[in-house]
Amino acid sequence: MNFAYRLSVSAIALTMMTGASFAQDIQIQNSEWWQNAGQKFDGVTLRGVTESTPASNYVADVLAPKFEELTGIDVQIETTSWDQMYDKAIKDMEAKTGIYDMVYIEQDIIYAYLSRNFLVNLTKALDENAELKAPEYSEENFTSFVENFRGEGGGLYGVPMEAFIKVYLYRTDLFNDPDVQAAFKEKTGKDLKPATTHADYAEIAEFFTEYGKANDMDLWGTTAQAHTGHPASWYEYFESVAPTYGVYNWGIDASNNYAATVENGGTMNSPEAKEALKWWLSMRDIAPPESVQSTWTEVATTFAAGRAAQGLVYGENAAWIATDEEKSRVVGKVGVALPPLEPGVMEEAESGEGYIGYYDGGAFGLPVTSKNQDAALLFMQFMALPEVQEDWAAAGSRITLTSTYDTAKVMEVDKELGGYYSMLRDDGKLFKGAPEYPFHRQVIEATSPTFYEILTGSIGPDEGLDMMAEKAEAELKNLGYRK
Amino acid sequence: MQSNRLGWILLAPTLVILFFFGVVPFLYVLWLSFHQWNPFALDPTIVYNGADNFRALVFDSGFLSSLGVTIAFVFFAVLSELIIGYLLAQAFLKEFPGKAFFRTIHTLPLIMAPIIVGSIWKLMTTPSIGIIPSLLDSWFGFDLNIGTSAVAAFTVTVVMDVWHWTPLVTLTLIAALVSLPADPFEQAQIDGANKRQIFWHITLPMIAPALLATVFIRLMDALRTVDEVLMLTGGGPGSATRYLGVHIFKEVFPKTNYGYGSAVSIIVLYLTIVSCWLLYVALIAPRNKKA
Amino acid sequence: MRRQRTWLYLLFWIVVSFLTLFPIYWLFVISVKPAVELFSTPEIILSSVYWKNYVDVIYDETLRGYMVNSLIISTGNAFLVTTLGFLACYALSRFNLGGKESIFFWTITNRMAPPAVFLLPLFLLLTQVYRIGDFTLLDTKIGMILVYCTFNLPFAIWTLRPTIDGIPKEPRRGGLRRRGERLDGDHRDRPAAGAAGPRRDADPHLGLRLERVSARRDADQLQRPHADDRPVRIRHDDRHRMGRDGGDLDVHPDPGADRLQPGSAPHRRRPDLRRRERMMR
């Protein structure tokens, strides 16, 4: 009891200290400009809604109070679940209620929002209101990820807030263990190193699953984001696995009347897509048993708990897996690599024809229905200031400004993380965000029931993909995109 | 004799609230169900499409399978709750030490929000790391996997619902049983009726109204279960637990298919009212005739 | 023999309570573990306690705001629903309102609607239609309280009505205000009912509250000579009149009983209280 009491008191003290240190660390240049700019918005409250992620929580907990301190504008950020966030934002913009002055736009929904003219053109708005333009803000500062949020005429419709790639994480402690290396060599005749092809990856995965079983460890050879009732599994297949087999943009050809089936010119049920699915299912079978109930969060936690030797993990989780002792058992034991590929895919990615994995992230957009657009413009620029980025990057493993790569904290984490940030900077161009479709969740929901049936085995992968391609086309016809 | 005007005045606030927050939205949904509306379609406006939504519904295998599993879910869940609830209510009529304490414990699940109930059961049943699969595996070598086995997932949703809602049935039935008079029972005993006969011919008819009210409430709540199941299985594996509530949720929230979702809702509402009415007729009407 | 049975009951209830409590216990176990420990083979017994989750919750300002919201909305809703539900039940039970049985059934249909789709019209109505001048229900707690009423009022009406029906309406002094007074009278005049009644083990729990109310309702019915002594035939007539939404409620002891269980026996003759005494013992 006494121990517990002491523990809780020290924990409280710790939390307060960390909270305090964050706020103090940020020094804003040219703070008079912000004070002056904020004066005319006295008493204004800005409301935002975002998904509850480490990066968003940093906005709500640190940046918003700091901004209020600076300008006197109150900023309330709601952090909620992914589904709820979309529902709230879309209802507000659709009904033109004007509750929110900032909405989180995940990269894959921007095209839907743009097609409905939900968002303010920030470039244009700042050009027209020169007195609102902060001297330190510049669109030049952003990384290439910003291109995802440009609309017609190159105008910017969202301030990038987080950005990450889905990488191949592996356990350096296992891969570098001489005994393990010897056992692997004996079994396969190869040296144990991160895989570059699907065959190698499968070999390593099988080896570690057997190794875990033989040594009575809770260890499996791969992760799998294979929930049988949540679209996370759909995303993993179409955005992380299929591209590595050369099936891009979900196998839907937008330029060809949104065809999905092979007979109409799509690739959703192409032989490559079927091979990719079978490979992924075989990996799912040797992944930890909880994988059939895993979304992105559980995959990260499974890896952090040391239950997988390698796997594809969203980069937003990479930093805490590699550094946070409270959440992770594999601190300092994590390496990153590019995802395993089929031959020829890398060449396509380098030429810009294809891509090797998922570049995800999001931005804050300003709804046209907002009643405080001018004040919101100030906060948008504030989030893009170089001086607020360093701690934000450390807290949320996100980088949206090129200058952030060279800050001390990021370089330090980069080392612990086996070069994740360097990879983001140097190889980021090989990854791609979701395809430019305004109908993401509609197609996903139309095809995912079949996909779940494939996962449970009640439909075979080949005929399952055939059915999905047909359903996708039917839904697109229904929505009016496919003629 | 009080004037009826006072009665209407007392009833008015309820009627007003239910009208503005119950009837008006219903009319809107009814109107929407005859339209095509998806804000992310090429044409994002609301377009009248006659009875197309309802026509599509009949051929929608997703909806039909969802209807099937929902009926199975409601049947097993509500029936188990009634039987267990009745047995527990009978047990509570006996006198034993700590009765009030046990009754308090027994009501605890009722105060939990559905979303929390869903989370608890998810944490308990996640394959390999949940406590229940882990214990079943080490004790009986049985592999409970709600991520792959349709039967397992279905069973867990039923057990979860039973755990959550049996206390409600128990409480209502205690109230009904306690207020039963003794005479008919004594008469029956004198006439030589056995326990089963007494239950079927005396207890059951006498607690029927309370039973009916409970079944009504449980039936309609089970038919629109969403949060718990969405949290636990997401409607999976496959579509094994994609109950109507979950189906509608997925049509309306992620897919923003408002017109079609409205049509499904209207049908579900209609089915609920009809099944409640059937129950009413089956349980109450024959006895009216007899009397 | 009797003693043995007591132990059996105790054992039975301990097992049942264990089953009831286990998920709640498990919720607690998980709440005092760091996230990373959830992803390992679980153990039933808690070996170490990790309070940081609680500290995080307590120090989370946003979450505290949500808790306050929940508290205000749920208590506000409970208060409103109880009040309005009571008034409505009183009206339904004591007044000869045309079509009231239909209204009664209609209220519950409001609870049957699948909620997902109805959120959209509610959102539109609250933000755009139901506005007075500049005031809208948008983003207000009262708006949420009213929305919840749609689902909770029918429930309250359906659970409260039998209770209100059970309280006899005395021609000279009807109404709830004097209920306590009248109950004192009960106690004095009819010790059997009072003593056998639930007061003995009254506790604030929901279970007992229901039980107590019902028991009293029964006791009241039993003690009404003009009702109990009437021949069966007259009750029959009452029922038919009730069926047409009419009937003189002033002389009717328990409209609810007749409406819902017209054919059943209990109220036709004067039952004695021995059975219940046995049950309560």
Side-chain angles (χ1 to χ4, degrees):
Chain A
M1 192 64 204
N2 194 15
F3 172 71
Y5 173 70
R6 277 212 315 268
L7 194 74
S8 56
V9 168
S10 52
I12 291 169
L14 195 76
T15 351
M16 288 167 73
M17 271 160 55
T18 48
S21 67
F22 266 132
Q24 277 169 0
D25 275 355
I26 305 172
Q27 290 297 329
I28 304 295
Q29 292 169 13
N30 209 348
S31 58
E32 303 86 52
W33 184 89
W34 290 96
Q35 276 160 10
N36 290 335
Q39 257 166 10
K40 62 177 173 176
F41 302 111
D42 199 30
V44 165
T45 300
L46 294 175
R47 288 174 194 282
V49 63
T50 177
E51 186 189 358
S52 176
T53 60
S56 287
N57 290 337
Y58 187 85
V59 178
D61 300 339
V62 182
L63 293 184
K66 184 77 195 171
F67 182 72
E68 186 180 357
E69 188 189 309
L70 200 63
T71 62
I73 302 172
D74 185 16
V75 181
Q76 302 279 340
I77 305 280
E78 276 176 57
T79 56
T80 178
S81 76
W82 183 67
D83 299 278
Q84 284 299 305
M85 171 217 29
Y86 275 138
D87 186 50
K88 285 178 166 210
I90 291 172
K91 276 212 180 85
D92 179 46
M93 296 187 291
E94 177 70 34
K96 304 189 172 47
T97 9
I99 300 173
Y100 294 116
D101 307 300
M102 285 165 288
V103 293
Y104 178 69
I105 320 164
E106 188 153 349
Q107 181 272 331
D108 62 357
I109 199 116
I110 178 83
Y111 309 104
Y113 286 3
L114 287 180
S115 77
R116 298 296 321 280
N117 298 319
F118 278 164
L119 302 171
V120 168
N121 183 338
L122 301 174
T123 315
K124 202 168 140 221
L126 283 174
D127 284 348
E128 285 167 6
N129 298 289
E131 79 281 3
L132 287 174
K133 183 153 185 187
E136 275 74 29
Y137 169 82
S138 165
E139 283 184 21
E140 305 291 306
N141 296 342
F142 291 115
T143 60
S144 61
F145 182 63
V146 77
E147 298 310 319
N148 283 300
F149 298 96
R150 291 201 188 277
E152 271 170 57
L156 189 63
Y157 285 83
V159 172
M161 203 265 304
E162 56 184 351
F164 49 83
I165 49 180
K166 192 163 180 182
V167 284
Y168 172 14
L169 285 192
Y170 64 95
R171 288 271 299 280
T172 47
D173 58 328
L174 293 172
F175 275 66
N176 296 337
D177 183 330
D179 294 343
V180 176
Q181 281 175 339
F184 185 78
K185 179 109 189 175
E186 190 186 331
K187 183 157 180 279
T188 64
K190 293 179 189 165
D191 287 328
L192 179 59
K193 59 177 196 301
T196 52
T197 67
H198 292 109
D200 286 351
Y201 185 94
E203 210 165 46
I204 297 171
E206 278 155 23
F207 168 76
F208 274 112
T209 298
E210 273 169 37
Y211 180 83
K213 208 180 268 172
N215 293 291
D216 203 19
M217 292 161 76
D218 278 337
L219 179 72
W220 286 264
T222 177
T223 60
Q225 184 178 299
H227 199 295
T228 49
H230 187 285
S233 50
W234 197 102
Y235 280 116
E236 170 141 306
Y237 171 69
F238 278 104
E239 298 195 322
S240 307
V241 178
T244 61
Y245 277 84
V247 177
Y248 307 118
N249 298 325
W250 305 354
I252 297 175
D253 189 350
S255 60
N256 185 8
N257 193 18
Y258 293 101
T261 58
V262 171
E263 56 179 354
N264 289 333
T267 48
M268 194 183 264
N269 57 342
S270 65
E272 293 80 25
K274 288 173 178 173
E275 201 193 330
L277 183 55
K278 278 177 229 165
W279 177 80
W280 183 60
L281 289 174
S282 71
M283 289 300 99
R284 189 273 314 262
D285 292 340
I286 53 172
E290 69 268 21
S291 301
V292 291
Q293 288 271 289
S294 289
T295 70
W296 31 77
T297 319
E298 284 84 8
V299 164
T301 317
T302 293
F303 196 92
R307 291 165 72 83
Q310 53 174 1
L312 293 174
V313 178
Y314 280 88
E316 60 182 333
N317 300 309
W320 66 260
I321 291 177
T323 56
D324 190 339
E325 301 255 4
E326 273 190 9
K327 292 186 191 162
S328 171
R329 289 205 175 121
V330 293
V331 170
K333 303 172 184 169
V334 179
V336 290
L338 296 176
L341 303 172
E342 283 301 288
V345 172
M346 184 55 99
E347 289 72 24
E348 284 180 357
E350 277 167 351
S351 72
E353 259 173 75
Y355 51 94
I356 62 168
Y358 187 40
Y359 199 140
D360 190 24
F364 269 112
L366 172 53
V368 287
T369 48
S370 158
K371 298 183 176 92
N372 304 305
Q373 295 192 5
D374 290 352
L377 277 175
L378 284 182
F379 189 68
M380 298 269 178
Q381 297 177 79
F382 179 78
M383 283 191 293
L385 290 181
E387 53 263 41
V388 304
Q389 306 294 324
E390 184 174 359
D391 284 318
W392 196 4
S397 53
R398 37 73 66 197
I399 286 182
T400 54
L401 262 54
T402 36
S403 60
T404 318
Y405 286 117
D406 302 323
T407 55
K409 279 185 189 167
V410 168
M411 283 159 77
E412 192 184 317
V413 176
D414 192 39
K415 237 175 273 159
E416 282 179 70
L417 244 171
Y420 170 74
Y421 288 123
S422 309
M423 180 184 279
L424 186 67
R425 178 180 55 196
D426 302 336
D427 299 322
K429 58 182 185 301
L430 299 174
F431 293 77
K432 182 175 175 290
E436 300 84 347
Y437 304 145
F439 45 71
H440 277 226
R441 308 202 64 196
Q442 286 69 32
V443 168
I444 291 170
E445 282 304 318
T447 52
S448 59
T450 317
F451 191 67
Y452 303 147
E453 301 285 350
I454 300 175
L455 291 181
T456 59
S458 47
I459 302 179
D462 290 351
E463 61 266 35
L465 278 176
D466 293 342
M467 285 164 70
M468 284 173 72
E470 276 166 32
K471 289 212 162 142
E473 283 185 354
E475 178 66 21
L476 286 169
K477 204 163 225 169
N478 201 15
L479 291 169
Y481 294 101
R482 183 174 162 78
K483 300 290 179 262
Chain B
M1 182 75 197
Q2 285 156 317
S3 88
N4 277 338
R5 185 176 298 163
L6 179 60
W8 285 115
I9 291 172
L10 293 178
L11 200 52
T14 300
L15 296 183
V16 168
I17 290 183
L18 288 183
F19 176 79
F20 282 111
F21 296 91
V23 176
V24 177
F26 167 76
L27 293 176
Y28 182 85
V29 171
L30 187 66
W31 175 80
L32 211 52
S33 68
F34 292 98
H35 293 77
Q36 151 104 33
W37 183 28
N38 190 329
F40 294 110
L42 192 61
D43 174 12
T45 54
I46 304 177
V47 184
Y48 176 76
N49 69 350
D52 280 3
N53 289 330
F54 293 96
R55 207 169 298 143
L57 238 160
V58 184
F59 301 104
D60 180 353
S61 59
F63 168 73
L64 295 176
S65 85
S66 165
L67 185 65
V69 287
T70 309
I71 290 173
F73 169 74
V74 171
F75 177 78
F76 284 113
V78 176
L79 191 69
S80 320
E81 281 156 25
L82 281 182
I83 294 172
I84 300 173
Y86 176 78
L87 293 177
L88 291 183
Q90 278 289 2
F92 267 127
L93 291 181
K94 311 288 193 299
E95 200 53 49
F96 53 90
K99 184 164 143 177
F101 171 73
F102 287 118
R103 194 162 32 206
T104 313
I105 287 182
H106 190 61
T107 53
L108 281 179
L110 269 186
I111 59 172
M112 310 199 84
I115 196 92
I116 296 175
V117 173
S119 321
I120 301 178
W121 283 83
K122 184 181 166 69
L123 288 166
M124 290 201 304
T125 55
T126 306
S128 132
I129 50 181
I131 181 80
I132 293 178
S134 155
L135 289 183
L136 285 179
D137 187 42
S138 63
W139 289 348
F140 309 109
F142 178 77
D143 178 31
L144 179 92
N145 191 328
I146 62 164
T148 53
S149 161
V151 178
F154 178 83
T155 313
V156 171
T157 57
V158 171
V159 170
M160 172 174 74
D161 201 71
V162 168
W163 177 80
H164 194 185
W165 290 112
T166 301
L168 180 79
V169 180
T170 313
L171 290 182
T172 345
L173 291 187
I174 289 177
L177 286 171
V178 160
S179 63
L180 292 183
D183 247 26
F185 293 91
E186 281 170 2
Q187 294 262 318
Q189 265 170 345
I190 292 164
D191 293 346
N194 62 28
K195 270 191 171 171
R196 204 188 51 196
Q197 285 170 320
I198 291 179
F199 173 77
W200 282 111
H201 296 291
I202 301 176
T203 315
L204 199 60
M206 279 165 61
I207 59 167
L211 209 57
L212 186 73
T214 319
V215 172
F216 266 30
I217 299 270
R218 279 309 306 135
L219 188 75
M220 63 188 71
D221 284 359
L223 273 170
R224 48 186 209 123
T225 304
V226 185
D227 341 23
E228 285 140 303
V229 177
L230 209 58
M231 196 70 212
L232 182 68
T233 62
S239 48
T241 57
R242 195 180 163 109
Y243 303 134
L244 283 172
V246 178
H247 184 71
I248 296 174
F249 180 91
K250 293 199 167 183
E251 263 325 307
V252 172
F253 285 92
K255 214 172 163 188
T256 54
N257 199 357
Y258 295 130
Y260 189 68
S262 301
V264 180
S265 301
I266 294 290
I267 292 292
V268 172
L269 183 59
Y270 174 77
L271 290 177
T272 316
I273 293 177
V274 166
S275 53
C276 283
W277 177 77
L278 278 178
L279 257 181
Y280 179 81
V281 171
L283 286 180
I284 297 297
R287 283 150 28 92
N288 273 349
K289 216 178 279 169
K290 242 185 280 165
Chain C
M1 184 64 196
R2 199 190 154 85
R3 209 190 171 88
Q4 202 182 350
R5 191 175 287 176
T6 307
W7 281 112
L8 272 177
Y9 282 129
L10 261 183
L11 189 71
F12 171 76
W13 280 109
I14 288 169
V15 172
V16 171
S17 302
F18 174 78
L19 291 177
T20 312
L21 281 181
F22 186 76
I24 299 169
Y25 165 74
W26 197 244
L27 184 66
F28 173 75
V29 167
I30 284 170
S31 75
V32 290
K33 274 186 182 180
V36 65
E37 272 181 35
L38 298 184
F39 279 64
S40 54
T41 312
E43 276 160 28
I44 298 187
I45 309 297
L46 198 59
S47 49
S48 68
V49 181
Y50 173 87
W51 292 110
K52 176 99 190 321
N53 294 331
Y54 283 88
V55 175
D56 287 351
V57 167
I58 291 165
Y59 275 82
D60 187 331
E61 205 186 320
T62 328
L63 205 62
R64 249 182 329 204
Y66 295 164
M67 283 185 204
V68 172
N69 286 346
S70 291
L71 210 64
I72 293 174
I73 290 172
S74 58
T75 38
N77 180 254
F79 177 76
L80 194 65
V81 161
T82 319
T83 315
L84 295 185
F86 173 74
L87 294 180
C89 287
Y90 187 75
L92 287 172
S93 164
R94 295 304 157 86
F95 291 88
N96 186 13
L97 308 175
K100 65 178 187 176
E101 293 313 316
S102 308
I103 293 176
F104 182 60
F105 189 82
W106 167 74
T107 58
I108 199 78
T109 58
N110 283 293
R111 198 185 162 85
M112 297 178 187
V117 170
F118 284 78
L119 295 181
L120 181 72
L122 281 170
F123 178 80
L124 293 173
L125 289 170
L126 257 68
T127 52
Q128 293 173 350
V129 183
Y130 298 160
R131 52 164 59 206
I132 306 158
D134 277 346
F135 175 78
T136 64
L137 290 170
L138 161 71
D139 212 13
T140 57
K141 296 192 176 69
I142 183 74
M144 284 302 289
I145 292 174
L146 289 172
V147 167
Y148 277 116
C149 278
T150 320
F151 297 108
N152 292 339
L153 251 180
F155 185 80
I157 291 174
W158 271 59
T159 38
L160 264 178
R161 178 151 182 214
T163 312
I164 308 252
D165 280 349
I167 303 171
K169 177 172 179 288
E170 299 191 357
R172 272 166 299 134
R173 29 175 205 164
L176 190 80
R177 267 176 294 114
R178 303 200 189 90
R179 202 173 121 195
E181 206 182 307
R182 194 177 50 73
L183 284 172
D184 288 345
D186 276 355
H187 209 67
R188 193 182 58 242
D189 298 344
R190 304 183 281 258
R199 256 162 269 216
R200 215 169 11 174
D201 53 349
D203 74 39
H205 303 297
L206 184 61
L208 259 191
R209 208 185 57 122
L210 282 177
E211 187 175 311
R212 186 170 89 189
V213 166
S214 302
R216 189 191 302 136
R217 157 191 167 182
D218 185 40
D220 290 337
Q221 287 158 4
L222 302 180
Q223 303 309 326
R224 291 176 54 86
H226 66 280
D228 290 321
D229 291 343
R230 255 188 304 156
V232 172
R233 193 167 36 79
I234 295 175
R235 308 254 327 174
H236 240 99
D237 293 344
D238 271 353
R239 184 172 56 75
H240 287 301
R241 279 193 281 144
M242 286 304 296
R244 293 193 305 268
D245 274 320
D248 185 353
L249 291 161
D250 276 354
V251 299
H252 201 278
D254 182 9
D258 255 12
R259 179 174 41 77
L260 284 171
Q261 44 182 21
S264 64
H267 303 291
R268 293 196 182 179
R269 58 177 91 212
R270 177 195 293 268
D272 71 19
L273 289 160
R274 276 169 295 168
R275 177 178 157 80
R276 214 192 47 237
E277 276 178 286
R278 271 203 310 276
M279 290 193 297
M280 301 308 296
R281 201 176 288 133

